[in-house]
Amino acid sequence: MFKTLLVPVDVMDAETAMPAIERAAARALHADGSLRLIYVISVLPSSYMEFAAPDLLDDQQNAAERELDAISVKIALPRERVSTRIRMGSIYHEVLHEVEDMGADLVVVGSHRPSMRSYLLGSNAATIVRHAACSVLVVRH
């Protein structure tokens, strides 16, 4: 039974993650488990940083924390069984690192239906499925 669940969330497209969050919350509730939401802030290349405001990363992190908190309070689990995490870097790398760091036994990923673009270029969900050290459930939106 899966007890430690991780759900990657794009705070700019939370609608895609909601079915995954709901599915993960139901599994965590049934298994008396815990659920963590993770949002990864993509880091700008250093060549772009001279054009960015000095507090851009802090502002992004604060905004992401507010968004994740707003999503987390809607989850049908006791508050002590829900956590959030913000990481910076490449989405799938950071999600895979979080899987290891927290000892997740299931990642629940929301995904759009495949398009020609995702077949040709791949996607974060596909990379997580291929490389995760635990089970992955992909919930189509």
Side-chain angles (χ1 to χ4, degrees), residues 14-27:
E15 182 179 318
T16 297
M18 288 313 294
I21 293 169
E22 291 166 359
R23 183 80 54 95
R27 286 184 176 268

Side-chain angles (χ1 to χ4, degrees), residues 2 5-8 19-20 23-24 27 105-111 125 128-129 132 134-140:
F2 302 114
L5 292 85
L6 178 67
V7 182
R23 183 80 54 95
R27 286 184 176 268
D105 49 26
L106 180 64
V107 179
V108 184
V109 181
S111 180
I128 292 167
V129 168
C134 66
S135 296
V136 179
L137 172 63
V138 178
V139 179
R140 297 276 184 212

Side-chain angles (χ1 to χ4, degrees), residues 26-74:
R27 286 184 176 268
L29 184 62
H30 179 70
D32 197 31
S34 63
L35 172 63
R36 175 170 294 166
L37 304 179
I38 181 174
Y39 173 64
V40 179
I41 298 172
S42 295
V43 178
L44 294 169
S46 58
S47 60
Y48 290 109
M49 290 307 289
E50 65 186 61
F51 301 109
D55 54 355
L56 175 66
L57 290 178
D58 288 338
D59 291 346
Q60 284 181 320
Q61 179 146 353
N62 292 335
E65 287 172 357
R66 284 191 303 273
E67 292 294 327
L68 274 185
D69 286 344
I71 293 167
S72 72
V73 298
K74 298 176 187 173

